[in-house]
Every structure is written in structure tokens, then in C-alpha cells.
């Protein structure tokens, strides 16, 4: 039988022990303490020893968890420099108006959330009064701090803006009622309220991810010499339940690795999510502490209020701390709703030492501790945590602040599982809340059962204090600024016209054409430095490795090693001022990069031009929620779906073969989606995008858009740009005639049947082959059209329809372009038929389409196209079928063609 006291093998046995006797003495001392004073005393001494070692610079792995107590002892808390009583009154008004706003709106059935802000009120108020820098802050001019507000707490932010005069009662009464134009959006939505909100934080999980990359982008701007924003601090307010979203913790290691001490997460640990406890049988605070410590973050726990100080002083045996670690979160929640007798029995009765402690405590003291006293509800505790966060260097900080969900809303709300769905208080509950908060609101103010808003007066001490504190910190917050930026100068025309003559005998993929274009644009003396190339570890796939040595890959540490390919022309170069953001395998992180860069024109008053290039299948399908966030945040830039199409990316198979990204992109109102076929089309679209987003916008034109271009990795001959008038306009609007049967040089009989072949992207090459086959083998004349944007054609046609309903005469552009075109229209793309079918209802000619519907598969391009029925032979058969249906060719021609081509 194994002796339990025997020394067990250790990994340290692999290392030489220069003094075994000393090691044995330390072991014996630890054994003696455990034997004489108990294992808990031994553990305490070990933790103090580890603390001492860390303070002395002795390198040791850190413990992932600490006791369930505050990280900052009461004796070490700095005093709050402001007027705590005044700030308490301001917080009371904010609590009241947030609850009143949601309750008043509930009669319209629009919903809202009360309990979240009730728990987090002090987390915000302390920041607004002492920490959050505004746009006019002297040390962060034009940028200030970036605040990611927890979405469900938005009523409290509106309440504070009401108190400081930025909103009035009419605004509050239009909470979640936006159709009339004067409403307040449910959550932080910059597109809906662009003077207030900077960052959308709902969907949950996107806020923390975006905050990390915003802090990282701030460093990028500074290190590249674009603008010094080193004084800006990023604050992300999150819920403990929200941390279950994978995006919430996806980039923790990046933040620690790059030492983003300009970032603070404040996690409101009220222990509840939407339907119940976050960790009913466990402890979410301890779990999060271990997760963040393990990732390399500085962790500050702010759990208990000052009422607990007396209890901790009485805990001479450590029994209280042990019990707090044992009790699961759901039971902590239960204590908040039960009487003192229950708490005495269930909590204190679990340990004889605690039974004796409880005898020294009154019922009122027990209830104060377990019902009310949480670190997140006390200004002094929150201030100490925030101060520790902003002063910590070398790592980001997370503050785990424990609160009670529904705090001050009364026993019907506080800690109830259903409180996230509870939208109103009764009049009696509001009166009880008024009395608790000591607000001067008379009973007579509750006319007809309607709860009144409360305001101490525009010239009251509370409002003056609030405004003075914000003025000292640089102005109101949150606040989004629309800078009057000068348009960026247009790059030299040569970059855009270099593809006009075509590629001659050289085959060139449109992916490579885009990369070549960007290489020219980043050399521009005026705007080149503003390009932000973003790629998720696939730069070599897209032919971008040539940019590595010239632009450099951004790294805050520069390059601390000699790259293995240093002797090659296109070696891997990292630099502190590098321009490329090469993110590794994370589309979500790359999109967060893109969002930060694309909104720099507003956040920092510096227009940046991001392009994010990715496997098209792994863009919209994987991160469409972030692209919606991008539209909400009014971002600008170029998303580039490379290796596009269902049949063009050979061999990769079902998960890689994109046949639907333009469909998803078409659902985003801010996305301008293009599927260019030729290199010169890519150049025209990028040129137009730079003008619209960064240059001189036309009257009434929306600059707050972004472009999605699909480009292909199939090397093909790139034709010269046609010389006909209006080509550029057609490319931008979405359609132009590339050639006719006659201009294509094919021979067709006089009065030959005619049709219109319409293609986008790589599919136009199949259409051109089909054009020749139809003429040479079947005597049919076909004109070929390039549809650069099916969705823009549809969008413009819908606008024309809406204008007609207003009494304006407008003809959709697609109808104008096709006016007089003979015969039916056959559209084809490397995407599902739904993509070209977007415009079918506005085409007057007979319409049919071909596309790659279904799942992708691995094979050669030719085999895949035959499988989906989109190759040139399939186009010919479909064209003959259309013409046969109209009686313009013999019906037997269709059967003959099928047999001839083996279809």
C-alpha cells in the first residue's frame, strides 16, 4: 500500500537540486504548519509567500484563483475625490428615470430592461464622474475614452443624458419608439442615434471582442504615427452571463500578449443571466478570475461592501472565507431574498466557528450584508477598482464587480429569476423606491397612475456638479462626433487605368488584380499610409506576400527574431510601425479590426481605409453579425471575398465553396455588393468607393457605407476595357453591355435568333464561350452583359418603385439598360440562382437563370461546373431551351444539344 506521507514524484525532479537539505526543511515546515495549525493556515501562509515572491520579482506561476474577497482591502482604498453624497443623489435620479422610462413605455408594449442598470448604476456613475475622458479632454483631444456600454443598461445612460440636459421628457417617452424620427433606440445603436452612441454592443459578445481590437487599433494608430491616442482608454461594460458568448473571451490572449493596459473590462457580476443564475451550482466570479488570470490579465475583484468589514474582522479562523467559496451562486441569490433566520441556519450553521460568529451579529447586520452590501454598489469600492485599473501597466485589467440584479427596485425585483423580463413597477412599488432613494417626488405627481419623471432642475446642485465633472473630464460621454474632415485627395489616375488595356496573353485572376491595385494605392504619397490591409493568416493564398517587406506586419514588439526566410525577396517582416494586420486564423478578430479602422474617421477624427480580404465562404457566413454591427457603427471600407464562387475554388469542397455570400450581403442595407468579372471593373469600383466614402460625396449621397467585392482565384485573360460611352456608370450601377454578337467577331446568319446572356464574376467567361458556341454551332446571336452588382440593381429598382408610389416618374436603371435588347435574358453566376434572380421582376424580357445551388463539392472546376449545370455547354442548352419555348429555334435543337454535349 502506498504511504500517503511519502514524497511523490515531481516535475521538478528533472532539475538539479543544489541543496536537498534546504528543500527538505521547507517541506518539513509546511508539513508542521498543516499538522499543528491546519491545512487552511498552511494555504494562507503559502499564498502570502507567493505574494511576497511576486512583489520581490521572483518569477513564479500565478495562482488562477484567489479567495472570494475583494482584491483591494478596505484599508488600502483611496478616498473618492468628489462629493459622494452628491453623486449618490445623482445616481438616485438616474435610477428613478431609467425605471420610469421603461415602465411608461410598457403601456405601448415596446418592452425594455430595468434590472440591469439598477445593478450597475454605480459602475457607470463613478466612471462618468471621475474616469471617462470626453472628446475635449486635453490629453486625448478629439478621441477621449471609448465606452462600450452594456446594451441592457441603456435606459440608465438615457436617464443621465436627461439629467445633464441632452435629452428631454419627450425623448424619454419615445424610448423604443423610433418610427416618428424622435425616438431613442432600444440599445446603443450609432446609426439610430449618431450623436450619442459610438459602439453597438448588442448582439451580446460583440462588445468585448470589439473593445479589445479597438484598444489594439489605438496602439496601431499611435505606433504608426497617424495620431497619438495613447491617452485614450477603452472601457467595456459587460454582463457575467454575456461572458458565455464565445466572442466575449475569444481575444483575451491577444490583449494580454500585446500588453493592452489601455483596456479595462468591467463585468457586472449580478450572478444572473436572462432566465436564471449564470452558474447556479458554481461560482461565476471564480471561473472568470481563473480564465482571465490564465490569459494574462490583471484581475480586480470588487465583491463585498463595507458592511462586510466587521464580519471579516471576526473571521479569525478563516471559516467565513471558506464558506463564501463553498456557497454556489444560486444560493447567494437566495440569501438576498430570505430572512435573517434562514441565513443564520443555512450559511452560518454550516460551520461551528460561523455559528459563534453569528451570535455576535444582529439580524439587521446580517440582512444588510446579504441583502444590500455589494462592492459594485459602493462608490468607494468602485473608485478603488477603477483607479487600480488605469494605473496598472503591462496588462489589461478586468474588474469583477458583484452586484444585485434589480437593486433598489424593491423585493419584487431584486434577485428574482424573472426580473430581466419584468418591464414595470406598480405605483406602490415606485413610491417605495422613491422613499428608499429619498427623492422629493410628491404623491400627487402620480396622476392617473402614471409614474412621473424626476429632475432636480437645470440649475440644481446635482446638475451643476454633474456638468462640472464632465467638463473637467473633457465633455459629455458617451458621445459620438461627426468630424468635418477634409475629403481625402484622390489617388493618381494611373493606378486605376493600369488594367484598361487588359492583360494581353497573360492570365490574371481578379484576386491578383485587386492586390496589384492596392500595391499601387498604398504607394500614394497622400493617402497610402491610410490603407489598413487586414488578412486572417491567408496572405500568401491571396498573393499578398509581396506586401510583407514593403509595408511590414504590425507588431507592438517589432521583430525580435531573425525570420527563417530573411534571405528571400519577400521575407516575413514584422515591425512596430507595420501597416498590415495579419490576425492569424480568426475571422471574428479580423472583422473587429476592420470595424475599429473603418470608424476611425469618427472615433479619432482620422480617416483610415481598411480592406479585409478573406475566403469569401468564411466572411458573411461566419461573421455576418459583425457586418451588421459594422453597418450600425457607420463603418467605411472594403470587404473583399477572395477565392469566391461555388465552383472556382478547386478541391476545397463543401465548407469552402461559397455560393451564397452575395445573398447574405444583400440583406445588409449598408453593404454595396459587387461581383466584378474583369480587372478594370475592380479598379472602377474601388475608385468609386474611395470617392463615395472618403472623397467628395454627391448631394444626398450616403457616405456611411462599405463595399463588398467578390474576387476569384482563377487566372483568366483579362480583356481591355470597352471604349463605349457610359461603361464606368454601368459598372458602378451594376450592369453594362460588354459586347454584342457582332462586336465579338462571331459570324451569325442574318435575322438569326437573338438573346441576351448576362453574367457576373467568373461566370462571364463561360457566357463568352457560350456566345461563340451559339453562333458557330447553332446560328444564334447572343449579346453578353456584365452584371457587376445584382443587389445594387435591385436596390435602385426598389427605390424607383418607391418613387412611383410618391408620384415621381422613375424607370429602374436595369430596365433602361436593357431597353431595346432583343430576345430573352439568360443570367448565370457562380452563385445560387437567387443571386441573379434578385432583379427578375424588373426585366421586361423573358427571364431565366442558371446558378450553383446546393452544397459545394471537391473536384476540378470543369467537373464542378458541369455538376451544377453552369458551364458553357449548359448555358448553350438553356439558351436554346428559351428560344425553343418562344418558337425561335426547333424544339429538337435542345435534345440534340444535350446529347452532343453529354448533358
Amino acid at each position: 500500500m502506498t504511504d500517503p506521507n511519502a514524497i511523490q514524484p515531481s516535475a521538478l525532479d528533472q532539475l538539479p537540486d543544489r541543496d536537498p537539505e534546504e528543500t527538505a526543511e521547507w517541506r518539513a515546515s509546511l508539513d508542521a504548519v498543516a499538522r499543528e495549525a491546519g491545512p487552511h493556515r498552511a494555504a494562507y501562509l503559502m499564498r502570502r509567500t507567493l505574494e511576497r515572491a511576486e512583489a520581490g520579482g521572483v518569477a513564479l506561476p500565478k495562482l488562477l484563483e484567489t479567495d472570494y474577497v475583494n482584491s483591494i482591502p478596505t484599508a488600502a482604498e483611496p478616498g473618492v475625490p468628489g462629493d459622494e453624497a452628491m453623486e449618490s443623489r445623482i445616481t438616485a435620479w438616474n435610477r428613478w428615470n431609467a425605471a420610469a422610462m421603461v415602465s411608461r413605455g410598457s403601456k405601448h408594449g415596446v418592452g425594455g430592461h430595468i434590472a440591469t442598470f439598477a445593478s450597475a448604476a454605480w459602475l457607470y456613475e463613478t466612471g462618468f464622474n471621475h474616469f471617462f475622458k470626453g472628446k475635449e479632454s486635453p490629453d486625448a483631444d478629439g478621441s477621449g475614452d471609448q465606452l462600450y456600454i452594456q446594451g441592457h443598461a441603456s435606459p440608465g445612460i438615457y436617464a443621465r443624458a436627461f439629467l445633464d440636459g441632452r435629452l428631454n421628457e419627450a425623448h424619454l417617452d419615445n424610448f423604443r419608439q423610433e418610427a416618428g424620427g424622435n425616438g431613442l433606440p432600444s440599445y446603443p445603436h450609432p446609426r439610430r442615434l449618431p450623436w450619442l452612441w459610438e459602439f453597438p454592443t448588442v448582439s451580446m459578445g460583440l462588445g468585448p471582442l470589439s473593445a479589445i481590437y479597438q484598444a489594439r487599433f489605438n496602439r496601431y494608430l499611435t505606433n504608426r504615427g497617424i495620431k497619438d491616442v495613447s491617452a485614450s482608454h477603452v472601457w467595456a461594460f459587460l454582463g457575467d452571463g454575456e461572458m458565455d458568448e464565445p466572442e466575449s473571451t475569444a481575444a483575451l490572449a491577444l490583449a494580454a500578449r500585446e500588453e493592452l493596459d489601455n483596456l479595462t473590462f468591467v463585468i457586472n457580476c449580478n450572478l444572473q443571466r436572462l432566465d436564471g443564475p449564470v452558474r447556479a451550482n458554481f461560482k461565476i466570479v471564480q471561473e472568470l478570475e481563473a480564465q482571465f488570470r490564465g490569459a494574462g490579465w490583471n484581475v480586480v475583484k470588487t465583491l463585498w461592501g463595507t458592511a462586510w468589514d466587521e464580519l471579516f474582522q471576526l473571521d479569525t479562523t478563516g471559516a467565513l472565507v471558506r464558506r463564501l467559496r463553498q456557497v454556489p451562486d444560486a444560493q447567494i441569490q437566495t440569501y438576498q431574498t430570505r430572512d435573517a433566520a434562514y441565513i443564520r441556519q443555512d450559511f452560518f450553521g454550516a460551520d461551528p466557528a460561523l455559528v459563534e460568529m453569528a451570535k455576535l451579529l444582529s439580524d439587521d447586520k446580517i440582512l444588510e450584508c446579504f441583502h444590500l452590501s455589494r462592492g459594485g454598489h459602493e462608490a468607494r469600492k468602485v473608485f478603488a477598482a477603477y483607479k487600480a485599473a488605469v494605473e496598472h501597466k503591462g496588462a489589461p485589467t478586468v474588474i469583477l464587480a458583484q452586484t444585485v440584479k434589480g437593486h433598489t427596485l424593491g423585493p419584487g425585483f431584486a434577485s428574482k429569476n424573472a426580473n430581466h423580463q419584468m418591464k414595470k413597477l406598480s405605483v406602490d412599488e415606485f413610491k417605495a423606491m422613491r422613499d428608499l432613494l429619498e427623492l422629493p417626488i410628491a404623491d400627487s405627481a402620480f396622476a392617473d397612475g402614471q409614474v412621473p419623471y424626476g429632475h432636480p432642475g437645470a440649475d440644481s446642485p446635482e446638475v451643476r456638479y454633474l456638468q462640472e465633472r464632465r467638463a473637467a473630464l473633457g465633455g459629455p460621454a458617451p458621445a459620438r462626433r461627426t468630424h468635418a474632415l477634409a475629403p481625402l485627395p484622390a489617388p493618381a489616375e494611373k493606378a486605376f487605368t493600369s488594367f484598361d488595356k487588359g492583360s494581353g496573353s497573360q492570365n490574371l485572376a481578379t484576386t491578383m488584380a485587386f492586390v496589384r491595385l492596392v500595391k499601387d494605392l498604398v504607394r500614394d504619397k497622400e493617402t497610402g499610409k491610410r490603407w489598413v490591409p487586414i488578412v486572417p493568416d491567408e496572405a500568401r493564398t491571396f498573393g499578398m506576400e509581396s506586401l510583407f517587406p514593403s509595408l511590414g506586419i504590425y507588431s507592438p514588439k517589432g521583430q525580435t527574431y531573425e525570420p527563417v526566410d530573411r534571405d528571400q525577396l519577400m521575407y516575413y517582416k514584422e515591425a512596430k510601425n507595420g501597416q498590415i494586420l495579419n490576425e492569424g486564423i480568426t475571422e471574428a478578430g479580423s472583422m473587429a479590426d476592420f470595424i475599429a479602422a473603418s470608424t476611425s474617421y469618427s472615433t479619432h477624427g482620422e480617416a483610415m481605409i481598411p480592406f479585409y480580404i478573406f475566403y469569401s465562404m468564411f466572411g458573411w457566413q461566419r461573421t455576418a453579425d459583425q457586418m451588421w454591427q459594422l453597418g450600425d457603427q457607420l463603418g467605411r471600407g472594403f470587404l473583399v471575398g477572395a477565392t469566391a464562387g461555388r465552383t472556382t475554388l478547386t478541391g476545397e469542397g463543401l465548407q469552402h465553396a461559397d455560393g451564397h455570400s452575395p445573398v447574405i450581403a444583400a440583406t445588409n442595407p449598408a453593404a454595396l455588393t459587387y461581383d466584378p468579372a474583369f480587372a478594370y471593373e475592380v479598379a472602377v469600383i474601388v475608385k468609386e468607393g474611395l470617392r463615395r466614402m472618403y472623397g467628395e460625396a454627391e448631394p444626398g449621397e450616403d457616405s456611411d457605407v462599405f463595399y463588398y467585392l467578390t474576387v476569384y482565384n482563377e487566372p483568366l485573360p483579362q480583356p481591355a476595357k470597352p471604349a463605349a460611352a457610359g461603361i464606368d456608370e454601368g459598372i458602378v450601377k451594376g450592369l453594362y453591355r460588354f459586347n454584342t454578337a457582332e462586336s465579338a467577331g462571331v459570324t451569325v446568319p442574318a435575322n438569326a435568333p437573338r438573346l441576351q446572356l448576362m453574367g457576373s464574376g467568373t461566370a462571364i467567361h463561360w457566357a463568352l464561350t457560350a456566345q461563340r458556341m451559339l453562333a458557330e454551332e447553332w446560328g444564334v446571336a447572343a449579346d453578353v452583359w456584365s452584371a457587376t452588382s445584382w443587389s445594387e440593381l435591385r436596390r435602385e429598382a426598389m427605390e424607383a418603385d418607391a418613387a412611383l408610389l410618391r408620384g415621381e416618374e422613375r424607370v429602374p436603371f436595369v430596365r433602361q439598360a436593357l431597353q431595346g435588347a432583343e430576345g430573352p435574358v439568360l443570367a448565370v453566376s457562380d452563385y445560387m440562382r437567387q443571386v441573379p434572380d434578385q432583379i427578375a421582376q424588373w426585366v421586361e424580357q423573358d427571364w431565366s437563370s442558371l446558378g450553383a445551388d446546393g452544397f459545394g463539392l471537391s473536384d476540378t472546376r470543369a467537373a464542378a461546373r458541369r455538376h451544377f449545370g453552369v458551364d458553357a455547354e449548359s448555358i448553350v442548352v438553356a439558351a436554346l431551351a428559351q428560344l425553343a419555348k418562344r418558337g425561335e429555334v426547333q424544339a429538337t435543337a435542345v435534345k440534340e444539344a444535350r446529347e452532343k454535349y453529354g448533358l
Side-chain angles (χ1 to χ4, degrees), residues 660-708:
H660 52 278
S661 68
V663 177
I664 307 175
T667 66
N668 192 309
L672 279 61
T673 304
Y674 286 87
D675 187 26
F678 305 125
Y680 66 81
E681 293 177 353
V682 173
V684 170
I685 294 164
V686 171
K687 178 182 178 182
E688 169 64 10
L690 289 173
R691 180 204 64 79
R692 179 166 177 174
M693 295 185 291
Y694 301 98
E696 294 282 359
E698 296 176 359
E701 190 174 47
D702 185 6
S703 296
D704 296 324
V705 296
F706 59 93
Y707 283 67
Y708 176 52

Side-chain angles (χ1 to χ4, degrees), residues 457-470:
D459 195 41
S460 64
E462 292 93 335
V463 173
R464 288 200 307 271
Y465 181 89
L466 180 156
Q467 293 175 340
E468 287 168 2
R469 292 304 309 142
R470 289 310 316 155

